[in-house]
Amino acid sequence: MRRMKTALRTHHCGELRTTDINKEVSLCGWIHKTRKLGGATFIDLRDRYGITQLVFLGDDENSNTLLQEGFSREMVIRATGTVIERESKNKNLSTGDIEIKLKNVEVLNKALTPPFTIEDDTDGGDELRMKYRYLDLRRNAVRKNLELRHRMAIETRNFLDKQNFLEVETPVLIKSTPEGARDFVVPSRMNGGQFYALPQSPQTFKQLLMVSGFDRYYQIVKCFRDEDLRADRQPEFTQIDCEMSFVEQEDILNTFEGLVKHLFKTVKGLDIPEIPRMTYADAMKYFGNDKPDTRFEMKLVEMNAVVAGKNFKVFDEAELVIAICAKGAAEYTRKQLDELTEWVKRPQIGATGLVYAKHNTDGTIKSSVDKFYNEEDLKKWSDTCGSQPGDLILILAGKEDKTRKAMSELRLEMGNRLGLRDKNKFSCLWVIDFPLLEWNEGDPNLLASLAGRWHAKHHPFTSPKPEDIALLNTSPGDVRANAYDIVINGVEVGGGSIRIHNKELQAKMFEVLGFSSEEAQKQFGFLMNAFEFGAPPHGGIAFGFDRLCSLFGGAESIRDFIAFPKNNSGRDVMIDAPSEISEEQLNELSIALRQK
Amino acid sequence: MRRMKTALRTHHCGELRTTDINKEVSLCGWIHKTRKLGGATFIDLRDRYGITQLVFLGDDENSNTLLQEGFSREMVIRATGTVIERESKNKNLSTGDIEIKLKNVEVLNKALTPPFTIEDDTDGGDELRMKYRYLDLRRNAVRKNLELRHRMAIETRNFLDKQNFLEVETPVLIKSTPEGARDFVVPSRMNGGQFYALPQSPQTFKQLLMVSGFDRYYQIVKCFRDEDLRADRQPEFTQIDCEMSFVEQEDILNTFEGLVKHLFKTVKGLDIPEIPRMTYADAMKYFGNDKPDTRFEMKLVEMNAVVAGKNFKVFDEAELVIAICAKGAAEYTRKQLDELTEWVKRPQIGATGLVYAKHNTDGTIKSSVDKFYNEEDLKKWSDTCGSQPGDLILILAGKEDKTRKAMSELRLEMGNRLGLRDKNKFSCLWVIDFPLLEWNEGDPNLLASLAGRWHAKHHPFTSPKPEDIALLNTSPGDVRANAYDIVINGVEVGGGSIRIHNKELQAKMFEVLGFSSEEAQKQFGFLMNAFEFGAPPHGGIAFGFDRLCSLFGGAESIRDFIAFPKNNSGRDVMIDAPSEISEEQLNELSIALRQK
């Protein structure tokens, strides 16, 4: 920490120790608190680096004059005085052994009373904190998140630099390619009637850099997606974006497993074990989810064969009957089970009911459908689910997709209720062999004109597995991709694929996605042409940096890991953006507002 | 260089040495050249790391089969073979002591013949190179520029991180504030009729971070300006953006002098001396320019008093008569001087003529206006200009501003002609005490509605010098700012200021700039309000990163230090952006094209 000394201060507020006693010092910062004790006045002075106690002992004629001014919370001052030993030391402060006996205080700026308290647990609501984000950022807890983010970025760059990755900045003003999510667009003044788009990712540019022979590229880069926002989405977000040449999937998994381990080690001090791999098919089968939280087991078990033929129509007529075994939950009360039944029937979960079987500690098994299943039947349930005395079996039944999804939610909920999702414990997983395509029934985040077509699950540049290419013509939905996600604690923090590097295959892919060859050429001709000039085999990955930081910080929402986030309507309520612009500006840009 | 090995290669093309002889290796890359010699075929295989020679000795039955395929320039191959010692070593290649005796070659991708040669001196013109930028980037010279840029960014971050600066990402979708240069704007779909703007700089956000107590902020960040482009401007550009609290100008100059020294040391291996400082007034007086090239002296000398009263009307009637002394140029021929006279009369320079005086090696002085000035007069000229035998005095006369500007151009031109502007020599300078305001006569880069007003020379948040504040009411043009630029070799690579941190002074500044208090509140209310909650004294600087890189790379233009630059019409000719967007997109964004 060189050069922390400036014209206005000799030290910062987290720096002074008993070895500094008797030094004359000047500190600058914000008044965090003041209190009087006998004749003395104490001030806690705060800056980014800590808090130092200042004191007017009341034995100096200066004191009274200075105190007359009155010190208010969050006022900015420059304090000059002598470091003295503190009578009652504060073990919770790094500077708790000393205090500053004040000679002079200069008020650098006054402060109105903040609309909420500048404490870790503030009394400010979300809306108020966002309006005064510059005050919210004064809170230790929020600033620490952004310090973590800084450290994550530095360590990411150091790791990748050592592995010979080059950070290359790709353009922000690019071309609209409306086959993905919606683009944000920028009208061009110099090319009236034409628009740039902001990148949803630097995908095509990083592939071109591979064609250029850059071999290893990365960038920590802002990306943009004009989506209807959910709580944890932002219209602008940051990616760690990477690409490598002359690799197979295995190289990428190994390299970026290295990055993840490096970050856990250097930022959190944790050694994480080798990251296991699971196919997409297994993830869906055992967890009902392509991003399973593997901090706990509680796998989904298909029960159709076991429960069939006992005249329980709900099970007999169901496409899927599926169970989980909640360890040690057999003592759940009737009230708790009723409440859980209500929980699965909420529209967000969508189950029609919940069947359970208690595997009691005495070895007996008691189900909510004893009318249909006897002790022997239930023993089979237990064997299939692997339940032990003390466990609770929970069963859902219905349409395949919906029921699997509902059970995935129930599994996570039971994980929460049983305390199995400790935010300080980390479980990483590679999910591999994703399907190449999914059918777009009418995704609200895509243009309406794209409904009723195949849609690329990752993106249109993802390579199908060579052995599945033939299926592109016959059953596109069954084609698997050389695509992978990295999942930590049930959160997808990154994903990527081996790319197509051959013009014909890329053209075929656009055809399957419903592009005419003219459209494909118009939008992505530059890339397909590039593939004809010697494109190497290549692949890559992108990490959601906001989410990775929030995960490392042990938080649910990404918002407090972004300095100036937008709200769910895409507004920055602090600066009040977006906003209207002048007729003069619209005119120069050759556009007009449309009357709705 | 760990993990350069991948599934497809054991080594890269810049790696193998005599210590590797007899190893079985696989290399991947592009065919740079092939040639036949006797029965042998030689291939230069290229990747980012170097070139390795492959050889079919013709003594292997495999050879003929493989060679039948035919190898073409830029084809991508995987070559497997044995490292052997080379008979005729190539001292110019790091791998020049060895070659690979080929066992097998796998063609990974074919290549059409590139439209220009992939060499340092290519035969491709600018337009062609930009259209096929992905091939242009294969050229060693261009890739080296981007490697330099990567290194500059890494070293910048390492330096600032050690000084406790936090990199904080500020938003890209912000609010339009049309008082500066033109904004690029982004229509909001979710807030129909409203627009975001792309930031011209993160100025207000970094100031808010100071209000938040972040103390030291930096960011290497993309910024955007919708200007009519010149050869060395881009609509999107990158800044090293920095801000510090509790500082005075001196702290900022010292800290960032440290950064510049660190970059020269670590990237170029150069120790640069302490950076001198010059006031804006002196820069204009002695160099006619606020970004003087100080690699050479040749200061401007005012001659009015010396030349007056000799009946030479051109000089007597001129507002300014100004000279430079070009060392050692007395032997310029009549032809050279005529050509120089034509040069200053070009419209870009705008002088009406050129007067000269040769200080001959025999001590005599001979001028182009001997009719009016005798030997004794010319002796005075020489004394004033400090000319020595062998020097050439060049004089321009006319309107003050125009003449000073023309002389600045002539000085630079003479610097070029006399070989004083060596791109491998670096001369840094701080220019300080800039004027706060300048009068906007009708700058084409500003909205027309802003003409006939005072305009902030740096930006509206720059602090006037405290002693000049009173002049804001009486003669705004004379107010000096706490603003500074860093100039290297006549190029402004950075600039900044101490900021206003007081609401009243900020409001006064907006008033001087012609804002109504309602407009000021509407556009910048969030900042002025923030100043009321305890804003610390603060200041900062921003470096033009593209330009800094091009300067370090010894190049004139920034374009080859940007991976995918735009042309002078703001177009990316490779991807063909900007482009038209669909009616469906326009409709969703609540805008329509305007018929011109």
Side-chain angles (χ1 to χ4, degrees), chain B residues 156-447:
Chain B
T156 297
R157 289 193 163 97
N158 285 346
F159 178 87
L160 293 173
D161 182 48
K162 285 216 184 76
Q163 305 272 355
N164 251 353
F165 283 80
L166 288 176
E167 183 159 28
V168 180
E169 292 174 58
T170 53
V172 176
L173 297 171
I174 66 166
K175 182 154 98 168
S176 184
T177 54
E179 102 302 338
R182 282 186 186 81
D183 285 322
F184 283 106
V185 298
V186 180
S188 167
R189 180 175 58 91
M190 294 217 274
N191 305 271
Q194 300 192 341
F195 294 75
Y196 302 99
L198 304 182
Q200 298 185 26
S201 96
Q203 185 62 33
T204 52
F205 291 98
K206 68 177 174 175
Q207 292 193 242
L208 290 175
L209 287 173
M210 295 303 105
V211 176
S212 298
F214 272 55
D215 205 68
R216 295 176 172 212
Y217 145 93
Y218 83 99
Q219 191 181 188
I220 301 186
V221 61
K222 273 279 173 75
C223 299
F224 307 86
R225 206 169 289 167
D226 185 11
E227 288 182 327
D228 297 326
L229 302 173
R230 299 190 308 239
D232 58 348
R233 287 279 176 98
Q234 287 280 317
E236 52 180 299
F237 54 97
T238 304
Q239 281 188 188
I240 306 173
D241 191 52
C242 309
E243 199 78 4
M244 302 171 78
S245 287
F246 301 116
V247 292
E248 292 177 352
Q249 175 170 306
E250 196 61 24
D251 295 305
I252 297 187
L253 301 192
N254 287 332
T255 302
F256 293 96
E257 182 157 336
L259 172 61
V260 170
K261 285 182 171 174
H262 175 81
L263 288 176
F264 272 110
K265 183 70 188 172
T266 54
V267 177
K268 303 285 291 180
L270 294 174
D271 286 297
I272 61 159
E274 192 179 337
I275 301 179
R277 296 166 190 196
M278 186 184 294
T279 63
Y280 171 86
D282 279 355
M284 294 308 290
K285 184 175 163 77
Y286 295 119
F287 298 94
N289 196 317
D290 62 3
K291 40 180 195 286
D293 185 345
T294 49
R295 278 174 297 187
F296 64 107
E297 275 276 313
M298 210 189 286
K299 282 184 183 167
L300 278 54
V301 184
E302 289 174 24
M303 301 286 284
N304 297 56
V306 183
V307 299
K310 301 287 173 175
N311 296 321
F312 183 45
K313 270 176 69 179
V314 174
F315 281 179
D316 285 351
E317 291 173 3
E319 225 175 75
L320 179 70
V321 180
I322 200 157
I324 52 173
C325 171
K327 292 277 161 206
E331 67 244 35
Y332 259 42
T333 62
R334 179 61 189 257
K335 195 176 154 208
Q336 282 176 300
L337 288 161
D338 285 349
E339 191 264 328
L340 207 57
T341 306
E342 288 313 305
W343 189 91
V344 300
K345 288 161 87 174
R346 294 159 66 213
Q348 302 96 304
I349 311 299
T352 48
L354 176 67
V355 169
Y356 61 83
K358 289 183 176 186
H359 195 149
N360 296 311
T361 44
D362 63 6
T364 61
I365 308 180
K366 178 103 185 91
S367 86
S368 57
V369 286
D370 278 357
K371 223 181 333 177
F372 303 98
Y373 299 93
N374 62 26
E375 186 81 21
E376 197 183 337
D377 296 329
L378 295 179
K379 183 66 178 52
K380 281 191 203 146
W381 290 20
S382 165
D383 290 348
T384 309
C385 297
S387 75
Q388 300 291 324
D391 295 349
L392 173 68
I393 296 171
L394 297 168
I395 306 182
L396 298 178
K399 282 277 189 192
E400 161 106 39
D401 285 0
K402 202 171 160 184
T403 306
R404 204 177 280 284
K405 193 173 163 306
M407 186 52 103
S408 167
E409 295 292 337
L410 179 58
R411 175 182 173 273
L412 293 173
E413 178 64 19
M414 288 308 295
N416 283 337
R417 294 186 183 205
L418 296 171
L420 302 173
R421 304 181 75 193
D422 177 357
K423 67 179 183 164
N424 294 311
K425 194 180 146 189
F426 295 94
S427 176
C428 306
L429 177 74
W430 287 108
V431 178
I432 59 175
D433 296 356
F434 273 82
L436 185 69
L437 301 161
E438 60 190 355
W439 187 252
N440 171 16
E441 294 278 6
D443 183 333
N445 277 318
L446 302 176
L447 286 175

Side-chain angles (χ1 to χ4, degrees), chain A residues 56-280:
Chain A
F56 281 115
L57 287 176
D59 57 358
D60 183 323
E61 57 185 35
N62 252 340
S63 302
N64 291 332
T65 330
L66 284 167
L67 288 172
Q68 266 169 11
E69 285 223 38
F71 293 126
S72 63
R73 202 147 62 86
E74 300 304 313
M75 185 179 257
V76 186
I77 62 170
R78 176 170 188 248
T80 306
T82 312
V83 183
I84 59 173
E85 185 160 10
R86 217 156 135 171
E87 264 183 46
S88 62
K89 303 201 165 39
N90 181 343
K91 295 288 166 210
N92 299 321
L93 277 187
S94 63
T95 62
D97 287 349
I98 58 91
E99 61 194 359
I100 312 299
K101 187 181 169 191
L102 287 172
K103 291 235 169 74
N104 191 32
V105 170
E106 186 186 342
V107 175
L108 298 175
N109 218 338
K110 293 185 177 172
L112 298 178
T113 305
F116 50 85
T117 54
I118 310 298
E119 301 287 352
D120 283 3
D121 282 318
T122 181
D123 57 359
D126 232 39
E127 190 72 9
L128 201 62
R129 287 173 46 213
M130 288 303 139
K131 184 165 163 57
Y132 296 93
R133 182 63 165 176
Y134 49 86
L135 297 178
D136 195 37
L137 288 169
R138 279 189 196 162
R139 294 167 55 227
N140 219 30
V142 183
R143 200 197 59 245
K144 288 228 169 301
N145 292 342
L146 292 167
E147 288 177 349
L148 173 79
R149 187 180 175 115
H150 167 76
R151 188 52 43 210
M152 299 272 289
I154 288 271
E155 291 298 344
T156 298
R157 288 192 164 96
N158 285 346
F159 177 87
L160 293 173
D161 182 46
K162 284 213 185 80
Q163 306 272 354
N164 251 351
F165 283 80
L166 288 175
E167 184 159 30
V168 179
E169 293 175 58
T170 52
V172 177
L173 297 171
I174 65 166
K175 182 154 98 168
S176 185
T177 53
E179 102 301 337
R182 283 187 185 80
D183 285 323
F184 283 106
V185 298
V186 181
S188 167
R189 180 174 59 89
M190 293 216 275
N191 305 273
Q194 301 191 341
F195 294 75
Y196 302 99
L198 304 182
Q200 297 185 27
S201 97
Q203 185 61 35
T204 50
F205 291 97
K206 68 176 175 176
Q207 292 192 240
L208 290 176
L209 287 172
M210 295 303 104
V211 176
S212 298
F214 272 56
D215 204 68
R216 298 180 169 209
Y217 144 93
Y218 84 100
Q219 190 181 189
I220 300 185
V221 60
K222 274 278 173 77
C223 300
F224 306 86
R225 206 168 291 168
D226 185 9
E227 289 181 326
D228 296 327
L229 302 173
R230 299 191 306 240
D232 59 345
R233 288 279 176 101
Q234 289 280 315
E236 53 179 297
F237 54 97
T238 304
Q239 282 187 186
I240 307 172
D241 191 51
C242 309
E243 198 79 3
M244 302 171 79
S245 287
F246 301 116
V247 292
E248 292 177 354
Q249 175 170 302
E250 196 60 26
D251 296 307
I252 297 187
L253 301 192
N254 286 332
T255 302
F256 292 96
E257 182 158 336
L259 172 62
V260 170
K261 284 183 172 175
H262 175 81
L263 289 175
F264 272 110
K265 183 70 187 172
T266 54
V267 177
K268 304 285 292 180
L270 293 175
D271 286 298
I272 61 158
E274 193 180 336
I275 301 180
R277 296 167 190 195
M278 187 183 293
T279 63
Y280 172 85

Side-chain angles (χ1 to χ4, degrees), chain A residues 400-414:
Chain A
E400 161 106 38
D401 284 0
K402 202 172 163 185
T403 305
R404 206 177 278 285
K405 194 173 164 307
M407 187 50 102
S408 167
E409 296 293 335
L410 179 59
R411 174 182 174 272
L412 294 174
E413 178 64 18
M414 288 309 295

Side-chain angles (χ1 to χ4, degrees), chain B residues 501-512:
Chain B
H501 65 281
N502 167 288
K503 181 175 182 169
E504 287 69 38
L505 184 55
Q506 188 65 67
K508 176 74 194 169
M509 183 69 182
F510 285 126
E511 183 195 318
V512 173

Side-chain angles (χ1 to χ4, degrees), chain A residues 35 43 198 222 410 426 525 551:
Chain A
R35 63 194 177 282
I43 300 172
L198 304 182
K222 274 278 173 77
L410 179 59
F426 296 94
L551 194 84

Side-chain angles (χ1 to χ4, degrees), chain B residues 34-43 54-58 67 71 102:
Chain B
T34 58
R35 63 192 179 284
K36 286 176 189 273
L37 202 70
T41 302
F42 295 92
I43 299 172
L54 315 177
V55 59
F56 280 114
L57 287 175
L67 288 171
F71 294 125
L102 287 173

